Amino acid sequence: MKISDKIFWLIIFIIGSFSCTKVIDIHLDTSPPKLVVEGIVSNNFRETFVRISKSVEFSEPNNFPAVDNALVILKDSNTNAFDTLYETKNNEGVLIYKPHRIKGVIGHTYQLKVNVNGQQYEASSQMPDSVAFTGLKLFATNSASDTSVTFTIVPQYIDQKGVSNYYRFIQYINHKKDDGINVLNDDVGDGLPNERPIFTNTINIRLNDTVAVKMLNIDKNVYQYFYELEQNANQLGVTPSNPVSNISNGALGYFSAQYEQISVAVISDDGK
């Protein structure tokens, strides 16, 4: 074979190598929408509500359509009192279902029944005992990339010794909710003062800010739901899975009978 022929076939081989790039189609599995329920019974009557929506496909925006005309019933299993919830809208204009009279009581177990288009979904949750929320401690830190001081919040409470306690914390900075998920149990620190901070990746806390922290005493099932949700949020590059719900019939979401306390602090220049 002549050298010129070799060069010719080498060129053809190179062109063929680049032209054989394979296009791979990725088909994401689709699934029918599922019911999503967020149900709360609180010692704070204003925070007792049920929100119902439908899930959307992975590729669609997280704009979950609300479900109206559902039959929603709350029952206090300790007193056998029940309440059929009515439709209204919250301050953000979101459709929710509110009770007429049922308010959370420590130690009581609550049953939730939701009927949508003939399909029934049920859940149960017991309101745990309260743990005294005594205030907030601040830790000041200097960021390497920012010369200003930022703060980390540590809720102040003493865990009940010998009792399994589960906590969820919701943080507001200047009346803006921090979307981070913060749950704790007392597997470490049973019966001790809390020294574990609330971490946030979305809001910097600075001097003169107003900080409000809502401490929720929750049951084990609700703790597990938010713990799994927190783990999903922290696993980069991993397809998230739905956390285990305490609602029956394949619904997503959770139902929580929870004891709520709030502590507020204004961060002054002396760090108090």
Side-chain angles (χ1 to χ4, degrees), residues 196-242:
R196 289 177 286 183
I198 299 176
F199 293 105
T200 175
N201 295 321
T202 59
I203 302 177
N204 287 324
I205 305 172
R206 303 184 186 277
L207 285 173
N208 302 316
D209 283 346
T210 299
V211 179
V213 174
K214 184 184 293 185
M215 183 174 88
L216 306 174
N217 294 96
I218 56 179
D219 69 17
K220 184 177 181 180
N221 289 331
V222 175
Y223 165 82
Q224 191 63 34
Y225 174 89
F226 280 99
Y227 177 79
E228 292 178 17
L229 205 61
E230 182 182 31
Q231 296 305 302
N232 281 341
N234 293 333
Q235 291 179 356
L236 298 177
V238 177
T239 302
S241 58
N242 293 319

Side-chain angles (χ1 to χ4, degrees), residues 150-153 171-180 198-206 209-212:
T150 58
F151 293 87
T152 302
I153 307 299
Q171 182 171 247
Y172 300 83
I173 313 301
N174 298 324
H175 310 291
K176 181 180 179 181
K177 183 181 178 181
D178 178 6
D179 291 331
I198 299 176
F199 293 105
T200 175
N201 295 321
T202 59
I203 302 177
N204 287 324
I205 305 172
R206 303 184 186 277
D209 283 346
T210 299
V211 179

Side-chain angles (χ1 to χ4, degrees), residues 174-187:
N174 298 324
H175 310 291
K176 181 180 179 181
K177 183 181 178 181
D178 178 6
D179 291 331
I181 301 171
N182 288 276
V183 290
L184 294 174
N185 62 25
D186 59 358
D187 288 350

Side-chain angles (χ1 to χ4, degrees), residues 20-115:
C20 288
T21 302
K22 187 176 182 180
V23 177
I24 301 175
D25 292 325
I26 299 177
H27 299 283
L28 295 176
D29 292 336
T30 60
S31 59
K34 288 190 174 183
L35 200 74
V36 182
V37 178
E38 178 188 6
I40 293 173
V41 176
S42 174
N43 58 303
N44 179 358
F45 183 75
R46 290 176 300 175
E47 294 298 320
T48 297
F49 68 92
V50 175
R51 180 161 50 200
I52 307 173
S53 59
K54 287 286 185 71
S55 65
V56 295
E57 294 294 344
F58 178 80
S59 58
E60 296 180 13
N62 289 332
N63 185 16
F64 304 107
V67 173
D68 58 3
N69 297 317
L71 176 62
V72 183
I73 297 174
L74 276 176
K75 179 181 178 182
D76 184 331
S77 296
N78 293 69
T79 64
N80 288 323
F82 69 92
D83 200 345
T84 301
L85 279 59
Y86 65 94
E87 290 185 19
T88 185
K89 290 187 177 181
N90 63 14
N91 293 334
E92 289 76 40
V94 176
L95 178 70
I96 60 174
Y97 295 80
K98 290 282 294 179
H100 296 86
R101 55 188 176 274
I102 282 188
K103 179 181 177 181
V105 178
I106 288 173
H108 285 211
T109 298
Y110 296 88
Q111 307 286 337
L112 172 66
K113 292 186 178 181
V114 174
N115 191 296

